[in-house]
Amino acid sequence: MKVLLVEDDVTLQRGLRQVLNTGGHQTVLAQDGLHADTLLKTENFDLLVLDLGLPRLDGLEVLQRLRQRKQNLPVLVLSARDQTEDRVRGLDTGADDYLGKPFELSEFEARVRALLRRGQGATVCIGALEWSWESRQAWIGKTVMTLSQLESTVLESLLQSPGKIIAKTALARRIGEDGIAAADNMVEVYIHRLRKKLAESAAENAIESGLEIRTVRGLGYMLQELQPGK
């Protein structure tokens, strides 16, 4: 997914960019409102992460211009302006979500995932796999795959950025508990289970799954659609 990150605090920008890149997203940076407005008029993005207190053009003005152009891009607003009236104003201007500073990076990551799901439509199909973002269910052919909650979390993470490497550390954070990342071997366990269930569901329907979960040594995993016959 291609994300425009608009944040003029260099330290925070660096941290947010790392979270996004680790999650397999392509991150484009802007440090002021005018630059962000220009990028939004000339490039396509899947998500806008927008600080409000920006130089040259305030974030609310950037958001207002975006909506006046009838662009339906999901927008996550970040702001130290965290009073109720500030939140209401941001949401009324066209934000889809509002996160007050300071915040935990794990919460930021969860908000990003939720907005990207919302912007991806009802379902996604890769190979013979169909996934419903709303119900978090997967099908191969006519078979509904039986997945645990954590198996669904791992598969959903891979589906959000197909063809992109998702770092093992990002998956470990998503299946961890109480903000503590799971051990690396737990990620490997769930990847193994997903591969097995994908293969079993395809065999049950006498079809090729048309996809694979690749291990990218030292980096993480990638969900890749296969060409017919491969």
Side-chain angles (χ1 to χ4, degrees):
M1 295 292 157
K2 188 175 179 181
V3 179
L4 176 59
L5 172 59
V6 191
E7 171 60 64
D8 64 330
D9 183 317
V10 176
T11 301
L12 179 57
Q13 181 193 87
R14 191 176 296 125
L16 298 179
R17 183 183 189 182
Q18 182 176 357
V19 169
L20 292 168
N21 289 350
T22 300
H25 306 298
Q26 177 188 353
T27 309
V28 178
L29 302 177
Q31 290 184 320
D32 66 71
L34 279 179
H35 185 202
D37 188 53
T38 299
L39 288 171
L40 289 166
K41 287 188 287 188
T42 57
E43 297 187 32
N44 293 320
F45 297 95
D46 298 295
L47 175 67
L48 169 61
V49 178
L50 179 67
D51 184 30
L52 293 188
L54 295 170
R56 303 182 69 198
L57 188 66
D58 187 75
L60 279 177
E61 179 65 23
V62 173
L63 180 56
Q64 189 173 45
R65 292 184 183 190
L66 178 80
R67 295 314 187 206
Q68 286 174 346
R69 292 192 296 267
K70 307 299 182 183
Q71 291 177 263
N72 294 320
L73 177 68
V75 178
L76 171 59
V77 162
L78 311 177
S79 181
R81 308 172 193 171
D82 199 29
Q83 298 300 314
T84 300
E85 56 267 30
D86 296 317
R87 290 173 176 268
V88 169
R89 186 181 178 195
L91 294 169
D92 282 347
T93 303
D96 296 276
D97 199 357
Y98 194 111
L99 189 56
K101 298 179 181 178
F103 51 82
E104 297 292 332
L105 290 179
S106 58
E107 182 178 6
F108 168 76
E109 188 177 23
R111 301 286 187 100
V112 166
R113 289 200 303 272
L115 286 177
L116 285 172
R117 282 198 301 269
R118 194 183 306 172
Q120 286 174 317
T123 61
V124 62
C125 297
I126 297 181
L129 174 69
E130 183 176 356
W131 170 266
S132 166
W133 297 109
E134 183 176 359
S135 66
R136 302 184 80 222
Q137 283 191 314
W139 293 263
I140 294 278
K142 297 181 179 180
T143 301
V144 177
M145 296 178 63
T146 302
L147 301 174
S148 70
Q149 180 178 344
L150 293 182
E151 288 167 354
S152 293
T153 296
V154 173
L155 181 58
E156 181 180 61
S157 300
L158 295 169
L159 282 164
Q160 283 182 337
S161 296
K164 300 284 184 66
I165 298 171
I166 308 299
K168 182 182 281 189
T169 53
L171 294 175
R173 285 199 305 270
R174 293 178 196 180
I175 65 173
E177 296 182 353
D178 299 324
I180 300 174
D184 282 357
N185 66 328
M186 291 303 296
V187 177
E188 294 165 7
V189 165
Y190 286 109
I191 290 291
H192 172 75
R193 290 179 181 175
L194 279 176
R195 285 171 173 156
K196 183 178 180 183
K197 289 186 176 183
L198 286 166
E200 289 174 346
S201 295
E204 184 178 338
N205 286 273
I207 57 176
E208 297 289 335
S209 68
L211 55 86
E212 68 172 343
I213 301 175
R214 284 184 53 205
T215 298
V216 184
R217 193 171 300 278
L219 295 176
Y221 301 93
M222 176 192 300
L223 184 64
Q224 188 170 39
E225 188 166 10
L226 299 176
Q227 297 300 318
K230 296 195 176 181

